[in-house]
Amino acid sequence: VLFVIPGDQYFRVAFTFGEKAADQVLKSDLPGPIKTSLAAAEHYAEGRTIQIEVRSEKDLEAILTLIRIKLAS
């Protein structure tokens, strides 16, 4: 579902979304930078990959939404 990349006092998560899930993310109320990153991501056979830094609990809310979208698609 996702990859977790540790950093210094934060971590990044990487998601790869197929077209159906990517469309759902782009139509969602997720923060603009996430949608911009996804829209700009290269298209590959497995989908589009984005990485998001997680530095606060607020960031986790977006991650949980992305997980729900990914699991539903």
Side-chain angles (χ1 to χ4, degrees), residues 25 28-30 60-70:
V25 170
S28 74
D29 62 350
L30 284 161
L60 285 175
E61 294 173 19
I63 299 305
L64 290 173
T65 299
L66 291 167
I67 290 170
R68 288 184 197 103
I69 291 171
K70 176 85 174 165

Side-chain angles (χ1 to χ4, degrees), residues 16-19 42-49 70:
T16 299
F17 294 100
E19 284 306 308
E42 291 283 335
H43 292 253
Y44 295 102
E46 62 275 5
R48 297 187 243 179
T49 299
K70 176 85 174 165

Side-chain angles (χ1 to χ4, degrees), residues 11-22:
F11 61 95
R12 288 182 294 155
V13 281
F15 289 92
T16 299
F17 294 100
E19 284 306 308
K20 179 181 172 186

Side-chain angles (χ1 to χ4, degrees), residues 47-65:
R48 297 187 243 179
T49 299
I50 59 170
Q51 292 188 22
I52 303 164
E53 289 187 2
V54 179
R55 295 184 178 269
S56 69
E57 285 190 40
K58 184 178 180 182
D59 296 332
L60 285 175
E61 294 173 19
I63 299 305
L64 290 173
T65 299

